[in-house]
Each structure stands twice: as structure tokens, then as C-alpha cells.
Amino acid sequence: MDYFLELLIGGLTRGSIYALIALGYTMVYGIIELINFAHGEIYMIGAFTALIVAGVLAMSGMSGLSVLILASVVAVIYSAAYGFTVEKVAYKPLRHASRLSPLISAIGMSIFLQNYVLVAQTSDFLPFPNLLPDLPFLANYVGFIGSTEFIIIGTTAVIMVLLTLLIKFTRMGKAMRATAQDRNMAMLVGVNVNRVISNTFIIGSALAAIGGVLIASHVGRINFYIGFLAGIKAFTAAVLGGIGSIPGAVLGALVLGCTESFATGYVSSDYEDVFAFVLLIVILIIKPSGLLGHKPTQKV
Amino acid sequence: MLRLHNVQTFHGNVQVLKDLSIEVSEGEIITLIGANGAGKTTTLMSISGIVPPRAGEILFDGKPIQNVSPDDIVASGISLVPEGRRIFPRLTVMENLDMGAFLRRDNAEIKKDVNHIFELFPILAERRHQQGGTLSGGEQQMLAISRALMARPRLLLLDEPSLGLGPIFVKLIFDIIRKINTESRTTIFLVEQNAHMALKVAHRGYVMENGRITLEGSADTLLHNEDVKKAYLGI
């Protein structure tokens, strides 16, 4: 039973990180129907930014929680700026082109950002300090969950609640939903659609950066390539849950994380990815629009 | 109030509007009638900035708006009720109305307008927490008109509001159009295929063929014009 709980916690931790990245895919897809393949790179850039900031702060003698907070804030701002710029440079000029063009542009952007970090940093894995604080009280009460897992799952849960409130109740959230449902009509009630699209990229990138900082602290090392696999997995999670659906992305990510964790624990870690993608295929055969995806509505 | 002067609009390489000129004065109801594909919807799309014209001028209160973005056009006082209603299907009725008032900040007045709309259309009040996509066609049309009114437009553009509705709803919608015009002095630009109803409610009318205005005059004259009768009234 303890082993099961351990695997479950491991799966939820993974799933939380996938969810933070998957939200960026699903929100962007919901609004401009583009798979933003450069999104994984934004997450990687977030982790690198946090590493650099943490390094500088450590040299200046700071430690503990203030390093985590400062490093995360800078990483979020920096990644958000990258997301914003990528959209303006690579996607906005292609807004009225055929659907294939921005997709190719996205892949190009992804390769460019990977190689840019490769040149600017190094191809080696760099050690990442564990910025997350130790929570000793956890060990006294619950044995099966470690501090980092607890913080990752907890942070993600809080962010999900905040995001839901933002989407449901704020003016910007309503504008985002309206734009996703009918872009021209949103313009016709006075929504500045360009601003909505920029905001979507900024929010998605900020979430990915938080994911990057959390997972880098957990795993303890990063390189320029971490965005690729994480991006593919998060994208899988978004499709699994129904691309375009925000709760779907979270559900898909948690299901995917747990599947991987259980496959590793009960079968073999060699089969982790096999199980993840078999799950994707099975769900898409049974429900092509994903777990919580809605069928495209016919416009009259 | 609104003046289109030699407007030319294209869809890709196809020219839809060819030297279109229309004038609308403050406080009147004008109607634009014509067959399918004549360019009526494109005319409204050009005015609201979704499909900007390639040549010509559109003046609103004397100011050119042909290159202004759609959201700024809404802000200047023009709202469109589009063809097919275009309700946000997964927003509730209430949220759809909120979206109509997207550019307004006067929350107290917005509340008053919502109450006014619920008086006008009690069925919308009943369904306020229901998703827009679950409403019937007639209810959606009421909601589409209400959503446009929430912006407090000075000029209301209506694209085929009677399309696909049963006779009771058609009569209701036209009554409401007349009421909006007389009560709040909103100027109305009505595009219709139901030429008979449209000409009965309008003060003036334009007849459009292949992207050009072929006939214009008071609604009464058009109703009794032999060509109009043959081509659009089916008499």
C-alpha cells in the first residue's frame, strides 16, 4: 500500500509539471488553433533563467526562500517576455496564412531557441540547486510524501485555482473565452483580439516557467534539450484531455503522469513512454476529441 | 451620420462591393434589400471593420473609419448583430450580455440596461444561467440583439434578423426593431431578405444587385415599385 501511494504521489508530481506546461498548449490552441511547438523551449528557458539568477544570488550570499522567490519571479517575467516575443515574431505575421505556415514557423522557433541556449550555455547537463524548502513536519505525519513533491503538487493546485478564477470571472478571462469560441464575434463586441492573444502567450509562458523551476529543483539538473521531451509529453497530455479545454489539460496531465509512474513502478521504467502513448492512442480511439474536449460546433 | 462613398471590398481576389454608396441619417431606419450574394453581408462587414474595403471611404460622424480596427469601431458607437446570430455558445446568457458591454465601465448603468433587456425579453431572464448554445433560434436572435444593445450603440447594424425564424418570432423581432428606434432614437441599418417586412418597418430603402445600388428611395415608393414587387416581394 505504501508503495502504491508512493507511485501515486510520484505520478501526481509529474502530472502537475505536465499540467503547468500543457495549459500553455491548450490555451494557445483554444484561441488561435496553433500547436505552439516552441512552448517546451519556453519552459527550458524558464529553468535556465532560474539557474542563473539562483547562481548570482548564491554568490551574493543569499539563501533559502528568498532565492526561490526571486529566481521564480525573474524566470516567470523572462519566459513571459519570450512567449510574447515569439508570438509577435513568428506567428502574428502569419495570422492569415494557411494553417501549415505557422506550424512550420513554430518548429523553426523551437529549433532556434534550443540552439540559442546550446550556444549561449553548454550542451552538458548543469547541476540545479534544490531551491524548494524542506518541510520537516511532513515526515512526522505523512511518510509517503516528500517536501518537494508536496510543494510541487500544492503550488500547481493553487495555480490551477487562480487560473480558473481568472478565466471564469475576470474581464480578461471572459474576453479569452469569447475569442476562443468565435474570434470575429469577439472583435464585433469590442475585444482587442491581438491583446487577448498576447495575454494568452504571456500566461502560458509564465506557467511553463513555474513548471521549469519546480521540476529543475526536483530533478537537480538541466540542459538545453529538456524542453523537447517535456513539451512532447505536455502536448500529449493536452491532446489526451481534449486540446483547447483547460480542465481537460489538467486532467490529461494527471492521468498521463500517473500512468507513467505506475508503469515504471509495476512493470519497468523502460516501458514508461510506451504506456504513456498507448494510453493516448486508446483514448483517442474511444473518444477522438479527448477526455473533456467538445466536438467542434457547427457555425451557421 | 454614416456615409459610404464608392466603397470597393474584395474577398480574396473577388470584388464583392463595386463603388457602393449609401447614406444613413441620424434617427432613421434604412434597409438594404437584395438577392443572395448581392453583397449585403459584406457591406456590414466593411462598415464594422472585419473586412476592410480596399478603396473608397466610410465616414461615421464625418470621420473616416475604413481603416479603423473593429474594436475601435464598436467604441465609436456602431454595433452589429451578425447573420446567424453568432452567440458565444459556451458562455451563459448573462455572460453573453456582459460581453456586449465589454467596452463599458459604468457598472451601475450596465445593470440597468440588463434589467431593461430582461423586461423586453422575459425569456432571457429565465434562461440567464443557461449556455447560449442551448437556446432556440428565436431566443438566440433576441440575445444577439440584446448583446448588441448592451454596447449602447448609436448605430445598430442588423444582418438578416428574421432568417430561419417562425412567423411569431419574425413579428416580435420587427416590433422590437421599431421600438428600439423610437424609444432610444437608435439609428438602424437593416439588411433583409424578407423585403416586405423590412420595407414596412423602414423609412428608406436601398436595393442592391451584384455589389451595386440599383435603386433607392423611401420605403413606401419601393414597396409600390413594379420592379421591386416582381423581384423581391413576389407579387
Side-chain angles (χ1 to χ4, degrees):
Chain A
M1 190 62 196
D2 266 7
Y3 187 54
F4 172 82
L5 278 177
E6 214 173 276
L7 292 178
L8 180 67
I9 296 296
L12 290 178
T13 309
R14 265 172 199 244
S16 298
I17 301 295
Y18 291 156
L20 287 172
I21 309 172
L23 283 167
Y25 281 107
T26 218
M27 284 165 65
V28 165
Y29 186 86
I31 294 205
I32 55 175
E33 299 197 351
L34 162 78
I35 310 293
N36 177 15
F37 278 113
H39 189 57
E41 271 53 64
I42 300 290
Y43 148 90
M44 178 265 296
I45 285 172
F48 265 97
T49 311
L51 177 66
I52 294 167
V53 174
V56 172
L57 291 178
M59 271 193 285
S60 67
M62 262 169 103
S63 64
L65 206 59
S66 46
V67 176
L68 171 70
I69 291 169
L70 263 174
S72 309
V73 168
V74 176
V76 162
I77 294 172
Y78 207 69
S79 294
Y82 262 94
F84 175 82
T85 314
V86 164
E87 192 269 326
K88 287 275 179 278
V89 172
Y91 308 142
K92 194 174 175 217
L94 298 171
R95 190 86 44 85
H96 299 288
S98 76
R99 285 184 59 169
L100 199 56
S101 312
L103 204 65
I104 293 167
S105 182
I107 294 171
M109 211 20 138
S110 161
I111 296 173
F112 168 76
L113 288 176
Q114 268 182 33
N115 285 281
Y116 158 67
V117 175
L118 170 67
V119 173
Q121 300 290 325
T122 159
S123 64
D124 298 331
F125 271 101
L126 297 172
F128 196 98
N130 189 353
L131 300 171
L132 307 179
D134 207 28
L135 303 172
F137 70 89
L138 276 177
N140 301 337
Y141 298 104
V142 271
F144 53 83
I145 181 164
S147 317
T148 42
E149 280 101 343
F150 181 79
I151 292 172
I152 288 175
I153 296 171
T155 311
T156 307
V158 170
I159 288 174
M160 297 303 151
V161 171
L162 291 179
L163 183 70
T164 309
L165 294 178
L166 176 98
I167 300 280
K168 257 204 137 61
F169 297 112
T170 67
R171 200 175 122 84
M172 182 171 68
K174 263 181 220 155
M176 286 171 76
R177 281 187 290 153
T179 307
Q181 290 174 29
D182 189 336
R183 196 199 303 181
N184 274 347
M185 193 58 229
M187 287 185 195
L188 286 172
V189 293
V191 174
N192 182 338
V193 167
N194 284 330
R195 194 174 303 154
V196 169
I197 293 173
S198 288
N199 285 338
T200 309
F201 273 85
I202 288 173
I203 295 171
S205 304
L207 296 177
I210 294 172
V213 176
L214 291 173
I215 194 67
S217 280
H218 186 51
V219 174
R221 53 181 210 154
I222 58 172
N223 80 344
F224 74 99
Y225 205 58
I226 56 166
F228 178 73
L229 195 62
I232 293 283
K233 285 288 175 62
F235 171 60
T236 306
V239 174
L240 194 65
I243 192 137
S245 155
I246 288 176
V250 178
L251 180 67
L254 295 178
V255 168
L256 187 71
C258 289
T259 308
E260 284 185 1
S261 180
F262 287 126
T264 310
Y266 288 123
V267 188
S268 153
S269 59
D270 295 340
Y271 288 97
E272 164 188 322
D273 292 347
V274 176
F275 276 90
F277 291 109
V278 165
L279 175 76
L280 176 73
I281 292 167
V282 169
I283 288 190
L284 289 187
I285 288 172
I286 300 168
K287 201 162 181 298
S289 52
L291 291 172
L292 300 183
H294 41 73
K295 292 194 197 92
T297 38
Q298 199 88 39
K299 274 174 197 158
V300 195
Chain B
M1 181 182 212
L2 180 77
R3 222 183 99 150
L4 282 76
H5 186 68
N6 293 340
V7 168
Q8 303 190 21
T9 302
F10 291 72
H11 279 308
N13 287 323
V14 183
Q15 183 167 12
V16 184
L17 303 185
K18 298 158 187 161
D19 281 329
L20 184 74
S21 297
I22 290 179
E23 221 165 308
V24 186
S25 322
E26 188 121 35
E28 68 176 347
I29 303 181
I30 79 131
T31 182
L32 179 61
I33 55 179
N36 268 335
K40 304 186 301 286
T41 295
T42 307
T43 306
L44 296 186
M45 288 295 171
S46 287
I47 298 171
S48 49
I50 297 286
V51 189
R54 231 180 255 183
E57 247 190 339
I58 302 176
L59 299 170
F60 184 57
D61 291 337
K63 278 181 237 122
I65 56 164
Q66 68 267 26
N67 292 316
V68 174
S69 68
D71 48 306
D72 287 334
I73 290 176
V74 177
S76 73
I78 302 179
S79 284
L80 170 66
V81 180
E83 189 180 0
R85 310 179 273 269
R86 303 283 283 270
I87 293 302
F88 297 115
R90 291 179 305 283
L91 296 188
T92 63
V93 168
M94 202 58 215
E95 285 172 333
N96 267 286
L97 291 175
D98 280 347
M99 283 311 294
F102 188 73
L103 292 173
R104 290 172 58 188
R105 306 280 180 160
D106 47 343
N107 289 334
E109 290 292 303
I110 291 176
K111 218 172 221 165
K112 242 190 250 170
D113 286 3
V114 170
N115 287 334
H116 180 66
I117 276 163
F118 285 163
E119 273 168 35
L120 219 54
F121 302 112
I123 188 79
L124 293 183
E126 237 171 81
R127 303 201 188 282
R128 71 180 88 180
H129 298 302
Q130 217 168 302
Q131 290 200 335
T134 64
L135 301 186
S136 77
E139 290 161 1
Q140 285 193 2
Q141 190 63 61
M142 294 179 204
L143 180 56
I145 293 174
S146 305
R147 179 179 59 187
L149 289 178
M150 286 301 293
R152 286 204 178 167
R154 289 185 297 126
L155 172 63
L156 183 65
L157 312 174
L158 291 152
D159 196 353
E160 308 260 6
S162 75
L163 192 71
L165 301 184
I168 296 172
F169 273 125
V170 172
K171 190 179 173 305
L172 178 74
I173 295 290
F174 278 100
D175 284 347
I176 291 291
I177 292 170
R178 200 177 278 128
K179 203 168 167 186
I180 294 166
N181 177 251
T182 47
E183 277 183 9
S184 50
R185 306 291 306 147
T186 309
T187 312
I188 289 174
F189 188 139
L190 173 67
V191 160
E192 259 300 339
Q193 285 206 348
N194 190 337
H196 185 72
M197 284 296 257
L199 287 171
K200 272 172 77 180
V201 71
H203 304 126
R204 284 192 311 120
Y206 289 86
V207 179
M208 190 170 192
E209 261 170 57
N210 286 321
R212 282 196 185 83
I213 297 298
T214 50
L215 204 60
E216 63 172 288
S218 78
D220 229 35
T221 359
L222 290 180
L223 261 177
H224 297 102
N225 180 296
E226 286 306 319
D227 293 337
V228 174
K229 269 189 188 170
K230 240 187 257 156
Y232 303 106
L233 300 175
I235 324 174

